[in-house]
Every structure is written in C-alpha cells, then in structure tokens.
Amino acid sequence: MSVIVTDEGFATEDWAKGLTDGQVIELESDTDPEALSIPNAALIRIAFPSFSDGRGFTIARVLRRRGYTGKLRALGHVISDQYAMARRCGFDEVEISNELAARQPQDQWKFRADWRGHDYQSRMRAG
C-alpha cells in the first residue's frame, strides 16, 4: 500500500482505477528529460529512488514546460521538506510508502502545502 499526498493531506488512490495500459507511464529518475516527447497519458509517475536524487524534479519541470497537462506524481522517497519543491516543479501529488507516512505524519506534509507562499523567488520579486 501507499499514501497519496496532496495539498489537503493524505489520501488513498481513487481516480486511477480503471485506467488502461498506455494511460499511465512510469519514468525512472535516470530518464533523459530532453529526449522525452509529450506523452498522451493521463498519469505520469516519476520515480524518486532516494530523497537525495533530485532528477525527478527536472523531469517534471521539462514535461510541464513542453506542455504536458496530465497528472504528474512523484513516486518513492520524497520527504515532506521537498513537497513544496515538488509542487513548484509541476507535480500534482506525491506517492509515498506507508512506512514513510508513519515517520512523517500528515501534519508535516500539510505544513508544506502552502507551496506558493513560501517561494523565495516570489518574495524577491515583491521586495
């Protein structure tokens, strides 16, 4: 089992039931983002094998910049401190293991849910 993290907190998988092959694409963290074409998929899950592997953020940013409008999900070992970065890069949600959810409860993720408000670039532009 896994836990889906959204701006509202923890959720369970609900909308992806019934999707068929080709509608969900799984990308590894070593995928070359510049070699990607825009897939016609409802959901793209980008793997994060460890919290220190940030290549998935780049992949998400490139997909969004090229016009992908489907759902992007970070999958794996993303920690709550990285949630705001994931959202700013274009991820809609994060999928974590039950074990990680037990170590980092929902309140730690919701604390980072105001990902627009804690953006240093916005603060610099305003100042």
Side-chain angles (χ1 to χ4, degrees), residues 9-86:
F10 287 176
T12 57
E13 182 68 77
D14 60 355
W15 75 276
K17 292 180 180 125
L19 289 180
T20 61
D21 289 340
Q23 292 180 300
V24 177
I25 294 176
E26 309 255 346
L27 297 177
E28 296 300 322
S29 63
D30 62 353
T31 301
D32 179 3
E34 299 305 325
L36 288 173
S37 60
I38 299 301
N40 187 19
L43 169 65
I44 297 177
R45 296 167 78 201
I46 301 173
F48 280 77
S50 75
F51 77 91
S52 62
D53 185 346
R55 295 175 289 178
F57 297 124
T58 302
I59 295 169
R61 174 67 76 197
V62 169
L63 284 169
R64 290 297 190 205
R65 189 175 56 224
R66 291 191 178 168
Y68 178 71
T69 59
K71 187 171 284 225
L72 279 180
R73 181 183 293 169
L75 169 67
H77 201 82
V78 177
I79 59 175
S80 61
D81 287 345
Q82 295 171 313
Y83 183 73
M85 172 66 85

Side-chain angles (χ1 to χ4, degrees), residues 93-110:
E93 58 195 22
V94 175
E95 182 176 346
I96 60 173
S97 68
N98 287 336
E99 293 78 21
L100 182 56
R103 286 194 309 272
Q104 293 193 315
Q106 177 174 255
D107 63 319
Q108 292 183 23
W109 293 87
K110 287 181 79 170

